Amino acid sequence: MPHSLIAFVLLASVTTPDLFALGGDPVAVIRPQDPPPSDPLLERLLPRFHSLPAEEQQRLVERAYQAALGADHPLARAAAALEGAAGGLAVLEADPQRSYSASQFAPALKLGTTVLERDSSSWKRTHQRFFPLFPLPDRSGVWEWDYGRNALLKPAVAPSPEQRLKALLAGDWPDPGRLAALAEARFDGDGGMDAAADYFAHHYRDRDGRVYSGMRLDDVWGSGREIEVSDVEAIAYLRLLGGDDRLQSPIPARLHDGIYRRISDAFAGWRDYRQLRQALAARLCAEAAELPLAYRGLSERIDQVWGELGHDPERVLELLRGANDRPQFFAAVAAVAAEDKAAPEERAGLGPWLRLAAETTCREEGLLGLGRR
């Protein structure tokens, strides 16, 4: 076996057989959908919108977004609370090629680094091997929360003002993933997870030094497939998470199994921590956001949780602090609901409020007749 490779099948304890063995662990972000081309409102306002300078377009859409946050709807109130706390968060640029350095962690191998983009044939073959049924999501246009560096990740490709406006008019929030990322930021209260989170947020490198853009260690470890763990990632794990800087590359074959099991255990704990928070965050401000695969059948229950807790992120955070796993969290919610005995808050009907906020703003700005222009 090559020294730069530790290759085994994922341990059964790391994957959820009924779901994760089928492929990766994407959270499918609901992207804004354009209204039908025949929407008379769009036909009236877009020509005037296009005539505005770019900074005016951005200002108008931001005003519409603020109006949407002020809508009299529980999901809008939750979104407003999240945005109100966003100013204190660090913001980083997205880096779909961030990976561990071969020269730092395995210099004896003298590996070069080749970055493979999503359109390369090698990237596509590897993607098909890891994710045959559930394709890896394209995160380039989505806000994310970086659990390791405790910062928001900006989308590499931001939506244009027109796309943001169309999203609001279609009844969607204008910035894909942003509100969920803000919610995850609020729920991420365990600093002890930072090291594991940062490790698995790095991008996958194979034994030949090829880095797969947009394909994270988190993705491949959650795929349920046989993976290659190069000496670079193995030694990075030992030094950064295991507190062990004695081992150098090439790693003796007799040590491969033990290192692999340690990484597997770290991933299992990190995955469970992240998925619960992702699932809760995804549904806080949205009516139809898809969940991580392990939670895909629990969307109604999670919606009920939010209704029972008044769509208050602080109440959920309090329960998360006292829960070590998913069963404990849902048991804590049930106990609170039984004591409260209040009917769950109704979640339906956000879309019309978002469209109304955008339409009203456009009307006041003169894009639909008399107004400021």
Side-chain angles (χ1 to χ4, degrees), residues 217-292:
L217 290 173
D218 190 271
D219 298 318
V220 297
W221 276 89
S223 70
R225 303 299 182 188
E226 180 178 308
I227 69 173
E228 298 174 350
V229 181
S230 72
D231 278 15
V232 178
E233 275 72 33
I235 293 176
Y237 170 82
L238 292 173
R239 292 184 186 176
L240 301 175
L241 278 79
D244 184 353
D245 59 2
R246 296 169 298 173
L247 198 62
Q248 305 292 325
S249 62
I251 298 176
R254 59 185 172 79
L255 300 179
H256 288 181
D257 285 3
I259 296 172
Y260 192 90
R261 281 193 293 270
R262 291 178 66 181
I263 301 175
S264 295
D265 290 343
F267 174 73
W270 155 240
R271 180 202 60 197
D272 293 346
Y273 176 87
R274 171 181 53 83
Q275 284 183 341
L276 176 56
R277 285 154 181 81
Q278 275 191 335
L280 290 167
R283 303 290 289 200
L284 173 55
C285 301
E287 294 178 275
E290 289 190 10
L291 303 180

